[in-house]
């Protein structure tokens, strides 16, 4: 699924065509709770615009947390190939959309991921799908970064893995707790990227990050 379609899905512009993915019981239970929330915050549930909101939010929430049902290592294993290539493989600018587990508000940005193969490579799109599988859960950016690293390390057993995520957190921006629009950067490395400063610097240079 391409990013554009995903954004449309998030905006509801595709009309949630993949209805079969929504558990009816979950939709109903979540919907009831969202109805309560709307009442508690003082909304008028009979307003036209709100009639279907509880059900829509219930489906949106299921979509945004559908990573719980996915085993990310299986994504990598589904396209794992024997290959002697031993140079750095980088996937830059993977779009990340997640929900912070403290406020259940979005954080979003980009992930840059590299690994140095040790006999096996994987499909490049699989790296993005692993990122998505972990992002579609309640998260903190630090754990998301480490989970992606560990999944690639433990599944492909490469010579090293590097993950950098740069993201904006709506709980900071909307609530004005800290400087607006500030970007949080997290990183996690294994193997060559930890042991060899030049490899790490090459990666950081190639992704164009301001990370020192
Ligand atoms: Zn938060």
């Amino acid at each position: 699924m391409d990013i554009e379609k995903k954004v449309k899905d998030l905006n509801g512009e595709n009309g949630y065509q993949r209805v079969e993915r929504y558990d009816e019981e979950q939709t109903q239970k979540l919907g009831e709770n969202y109805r309560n929330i709307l009442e508690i915050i003082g909304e008028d549930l009979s307003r036209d615009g709100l009639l279907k909101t509880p059900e829509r939010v219930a489906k949106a929430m299921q979509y945004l947390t559908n990573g719980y049902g996915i085993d990310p290592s299986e994504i990598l294993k589904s396209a794992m190939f024997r290959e002697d290539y031993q140079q750095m493989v980088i996937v830059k600018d993977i779009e990340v959309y997640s929900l912070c587990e403290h406020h259940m508000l979005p954080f979003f940005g980009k992930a840059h991921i590299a690994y140095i193969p040790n006999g096996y490579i994987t499909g490049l799109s699989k790296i993005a799908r692993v990122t998505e599988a972990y992002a579609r859960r309640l998260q903190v950016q630090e754990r998301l970064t480490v989970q992606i690293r560990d999944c690639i390390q433990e599944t492909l057993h490469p010579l090293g893995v590097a993950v950098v995520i740069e993201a904006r957190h709506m709980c900071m921006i909307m609530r004005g707790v800290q400087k607006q629009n500030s970007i949080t950067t997290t990183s996690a490395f294994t193997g060559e990227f930890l042991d060899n400063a030049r490899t790490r610097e090459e990666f950081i240079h190639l992704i164009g990050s301001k990370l020192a």
Side-chain angles (χ1 to χ4, degrees):
M1 189 169 46
D2 62 69
I3 292 292
E4 249 173 77
K5 181 169 180 303
K6 248 188 286 181
V7 171
K8 282 184 181 167
D9 273 346
L10 284 175
N11 294 337
E13 290 166 29
N14 287 344
Y16 291 105
Q17 286 152 348
R18 288 162 307 125
V19 172
E20 71 282 358
R21 293 185 66 158
Y22 301 110
D23 182 291
E24 252 178 61
E25 199 189 329
Q26 255 199 48
T27 304
Q28 205 215 329
K29 277 188 193 166
L30 281 168
E32 275 169 31
N33 283 291
Y34 283 122
R35 243 181 300 274
N36 289 334
I37 290 171
L38 287 171
E39 250 176 6
I40 292 163
I41 64 172
E43 262 300 349
D44 170 7
L45 283 171
S46 66
R47 284 207 297 120
D48 258 7
L50 291 182
L51 287 179
K52 289 198 161 178
T53 296
E55 190 189 337
R56 270 193 299 261
V57 181
K59 287 180 175 176
M61 188 50 71
Q62 285 178 74
Y63 179 80
L64 295 174
T65 57
N66 67 16
Y68 290 115
I70 300 170
D71 179 349
S73 68
E74 289 301 322
I75 295 171
L76 292 181
K77 285 179 197 161
S78 74
M80 207 167 136
F81 311 104
R82 184 97 185 86
E83 187 63 59
D84 287 330
Y85 185 82
Q86 280 204 341
Q87 302 301 308
M88 195 185 298
V89 177
I90 301 185
V91 188
K92 263 174 69 167
D93 297 331
I94 299 168
E95 295 199 29
V96 174
Y97 299 96
S98 191
L99 291 173
C100 89
E101 69 184 18
H102 301 131
H103 306 93
M104 292 177 72
L105 286 171
F107 66 94
F108 57 96
K110 284 174 175 174
H112 314 291
I113 300 172
Y115 70 102
I116 302 170
N118 184 23
Y120 288 96
I121 59 166
T122 186
L124 297 178
S125 67
K126 305 303 177 206
I127 302 273
R129 286 201 53 216
V130 164
T131 304
E132 185 179 285
Y134 284 117
R136 295 232 184 274
R137 305 172 182 195
L138 297 188
Q139 276 289 6
V140 294
Q141 187 179 330
E142 294 86 342
R143 187 172 67 237
L144 176 62
T145 309
V146 168
Q147 283 178 330
I148 296 166
R149 178 200 66 185
D150 289 349
C151 178
I152 297 170
Q153 182 63 47
E154 284 158 22
T155 311
L156 292 181
H157 302 290
L159 299 175
V161 179
V163 179
V164 166
I165 298 179
E166 300 171 303
R168 288 189 160 87
H169 291 248
M170 294 313 285
C171 60
M172 281 167 65
I173 296 167
M174 289 181 77
R175 295 164 68 247
V177 173
Q178 296 193 22
K179 207 170 110 193
Q180 299 238 331
N181 276 320
S182 65
I183 295 178
T184 304
T185 303
T186 47
S187 60
F189 302 103
T190 63
E192 284 287 299
F193 292 96
L194 269 185
D195 303 338
N196 189 332
R198 278 183 63 185
T199 306
R200 191 167 60 243
E201 278 158 21
E202 187 191 344
F203 165 70
I204 287 163
H205 174 72
L206 286 168
I207 64 172
S209 170
K210 288 168 206 88
L211 190 70

